[in-house]
Amino acid sequence: MRIKEHPILELAEKPPIPFYFNGKLLYGIEGDTIASALHANGIKKLSESIHLKRPRGFYCAIGNCASCNMVVDGEPNVRTCITPLKEGMRVENQQGKGRIHAK
Amino acid sequence: MQNKEAIVIGGGPAGLTAALELLKAGASVCLIDRNERLGGQLTKQTHMFFGSEKQYASHRGIDILEILTNSLGKYGNKLEILTETTVVGMYRDKVLSCVSGDKFFKLQGEKIIFATGASEKALPFENNDLPGVYAAGAVQTLMNEYGIKPGEKVLMVGSGNIGLIVSYQLMQAGVEVVALVEAADRIGGYLVHASKIKRLGVDILTNTSVKRAIGKDSVEAAEIWELDEQWQGIEGSERTLEVDTICVAVGLAPLTELLQQMGVNVKYVNELGGNVPILDEQYQTSVEGVYACGDLANIEEASSAMVEGRIVGINAARSLGRSVENADFRIKALRHELKDLRGGPPGDKVRKGLKKLGVAT
Ligand SMILES: Cc1cc2nc3c(=O)[nH]c(=O)nc-3n(C[C@H](O)[C@H](O)[C@H](O)COP(=O)(O)OP(=O)(O)OC[C@H]3O[C@@H](n4cnc5c(N)ncnc54)[C@H](O)[C@@H]3O)c2cc1C
Ligand code: FES
């Protein structure tokens, strides 16, 4: 779902960034956030509501609403819409409030 | 804890211009933004700006941003920029707590300038939490910053300038805008923007709103219905549109939570977007040395945010004991510019709101 042609934006080819989503290997590109890379791969559901387990995607995309919280490299409640994608990241759908593990 | 001369929170047009004025007067500035890139809303605005010549009208938002950040580059070590840093707490003694990655730290500033902007409002309807229901700014961010389509077929909700402009930008990205619904009986934004998308074949339906989103894991369709004069849905007028995205453009609300944490007085003014800080002539809040400008002070435009940022920067620099060349003259001229920007019918709402707040316009 990446935009191919645009009258104003310059969309240069960018190097791919491999990462894992629920254990599966996917690719984003340089400049992506975690959420933008997932969306480009057609993945809209990022988390579940705490009580009713309803699917949640992003809403604001600027770090205001926490709708995009996911578990990243074991850490819960990462706002994926403003977190830059890095090579090898392990991104998972978050269930409930998430658990904090001692490091 | 580190002490700073001036801390600017938020690197949008308001924060950037405030920082520039402070630097120009010789002050040291620590500029904080939670994003990776500076620019706030400007980073996604690919359209030409309206407004005054002085505030870069006929430039695209993204180009204005480049002009501003280039000027910041001149100040070297007087300027410290902390990106990917979120201010999460604010105390009365002008101490702020920040989070950056897994680091937590505190800063104290002699002067603190708040330019945190606004957040987009949500709209209550059935299934409004389904993935695929996105705020207009989010859709813009996805397209214009990351080059990604939010979906293939979009229902736009709200005909203010944001709804109109984002509709046009969706079409530029090759996305179909199936319809634009507006609850009021007329189009809210500028007619130039509305005619542009009408010419491209988008139906603008007034007195109409979304009844519900339909779908299991994400939006598969939207049900819209007509509204009566009391804005109540009319049974039997429902229509289903096949869309995979519902884009919500129903206005913004100032991000005043941090200001409220430190005990700044705010007032609810509907015309200005919600709770806004009460400011004095200097744009100072009820806490001495704490200033506010831009969308945070009232939901307006980048052009006025830049003027307010400059006024705040000059005022804060002066109260730090820095000398600002021609300060009185410049403030007067800037205030005049604000008046111009708010003149005419499009400025009615802001003028009314500011009056309620007791600000002379
Ligand atoms: C679709 C659209 C079209 C527009 N068109 C125009 C136009 O043509 N002309 C015009 O003049 N205006 C236009 N505007 C309005 C304009 O973009 C805004 O009024 C302007 O950006 C407000 O500037 P600001 O600096 O107050 O806030 P913002 O640009 O929102 O910047 C606020 C910054 O603060 C940061 N921040 C917030 N909270 C924190 C925190 N706790 N810690 C750290 N950082 C934080 C944010 O990340 C952000 O970078 C448009 C807006 C939209 C959405
Ligand atoms: S989508 Fe709102 S915080 Fe990420």
Side-chain angles (χ1 to χ4, degrees), chain B residues 92-347:
Chain B
R92 237 180 201 284
D93 48 0
K94 288 180 272 183
V95 170
L96 39 116
S97 39
C98 307
V99 173
S100 181
D102 53 9
K103 285 194 285 296
F104 177 87
F105 55 93
K106 284 183 173 168
L107 299 172
Q108 187 169 34
E110 221 173 303
K111 302 289 165 194
I112 297 183
I113 286 132
F114 270 88
T116 46
S119 75
E120 285 176 283
K121 291 181 182 166
L123 188 69
F125 57 84
E126 195 180 320
N127 291 334
N128 70 351
D129 59 342
L130 265 185
V133 178
Y134 301 140
V139 163
Q140 223 188 4
T141 302
L142 204 61
M143 288 192 299
N144 299 349
E145 278 194 69
Y146 302 108
I148 295 166
K149 295 187 202 179
E152 296 300 331
K153 288 166 153 240
V154 175
L155 168 67
M156 180 65 66
V157 186
S159 72
N161 280 326
I162 295 186
L164 297 173
I165 291 172
V166 174
S167 296
Y168 185 68
Q169 292 179 349
L170 278 161
M171 287 183 272
Q172 284 183 319
V175 177
E176 185 188 346
V177 179
V178 176
L180 188 156
V181 293
E182 165 60 57
D185 60 0
R186 69 189 75 139
I187 293 168
Y190 293 162
L191 287 181
V192 271
H193 295 315
S195 342
K196 223 163 154 183
I197 63 168
K198 272 192 193 159
R199 271 200 304 275
L200 290 168
V202 177
D203 269 337
I204 300 184
L205 309 168
T206 48
N207 296 315
T208 306
S209 190
V210 207
K211 185 178 184 191
R212 62 186 180 115
I214 301 167
K216 197 175 151 281
D217 271 329
S218 65
V219 173
E220 289 156 31
E223 197 169 82
I224 58 170
W225 59 350
E226 287 168 33
L227 304 183
D228 62 20
E229 286 95 71
Q230 273 81 49
W231 287 35
Q232 297 300 312
I234 301 172
E235 296 288 342
S237 70
E238 293 89 347
R239 277 207 284 154
T240 304
L241 302 177
E242 216 181 281
V243 294
D244 56 12
T245 307
I246 299 175
C247 184
V248 181
V250 294
L252 297 126
L255 281 171
T256 35
E257 290 81 359
L258 285 170
L259 281 174
Q260 293 187 54
Q261 262 183 31
M262 73 182 303
V264 159
N265 294 337
V266 300
K267 186 173 172 181
Y268 184 86
V269 182
N270 191 24
E271 287 83 356
L272 302 180
N275 275 322
V276 289
I278 298 174
L279 302 175
D280 68 9
E281 274 270 289
Q282 311 265 310
Y283 281 78
Q284 193 170 222
T285 66
S286 57
V287 176
E288 192 268 315
V290 176
Y291 300 78
C293 51
D295 272 359
L296 167 71
N298 54 62
I299 301 299
E300 230 176 322
E301 288 175 356
S303 5
S304 44
M306 286 186 278
V307 183
E308 288 187 348
R310 288 194 191 279
I311 298 179
V312 164
I314 296 173
N315 282 334
R318 274 212 293 193
S319 71
L320 280 166
R322 303 271 174 187
S323 71
V324 182
E325 242 176 275
N326 289 331
D328 289 323
F329 173 78
R330 290 199 54 213
I331 295 226
K332 216 166 146 192
L334 288 165
R335 286 194 182 273
H336 208 83
E337 256 181 71
L338 275 183
K339 205 168 175 172
D340 277 352
L341 286 170
R342 290 168 183 159

Side-chain angles (χ1 to χ4, degrees), chain B residues 43-70:
Chain B
T43 50
K44 51 195 171 191
Q45 286 168 17
T46 50
H47 62 282
M48 296 283 186
F49 267 46
F50 33 86
S52 84
E53 198 65 48
K54 283 188 200 121
Q55 298 313 326
Y56 317 105
S58 317
H59 277 73
R60 299 183 193 283
I62 41 180
D63 300 332
I64 300 176
L65 175 59
E66 209 179 300
I67 301 175
L68 293 177
T69 43
N70 282 345

Side-chain angles (χ1 to χ4, degrees), chain A residues 1-3 6-9 31 33 36 39-40 44 54-64 79 82 84 103, chain B residues 34-36 46 60 84 86 119 121-122 127 129 131 133-135 138 144 146-150 172-173 244 248 255:
Chain A
M1 286 210 278
R2 294 207 188 262
I3 301 170
H6 198 283
I8 296 163
L9 296 172
T33 57
S36 75
H39 206 283
K44 294 185 177 178
R54 291 169 62 87
R56 287 283 154 85
F58 66 84
Y59 184 72
C60 72
I62 52 171
N64 274 340
R79 285 172 299 171
I82 53 166
K103 278 196 181 161
Chain B
R34 66 180 169 209
N35 280 318
E36 204 189 351
T46 50
R60 299 183 193 283
E84 286 183 74
T86 307
S119 75
K121 291 181 182 166
N127 291 334
D129 59 342
V133 178
Y134 301 140
N144 299 349
Y146 302 108
I148 295 166
K149 295 187 202 179
Q172 284 183 319
D244 56 12
V248 181
L255 281 171

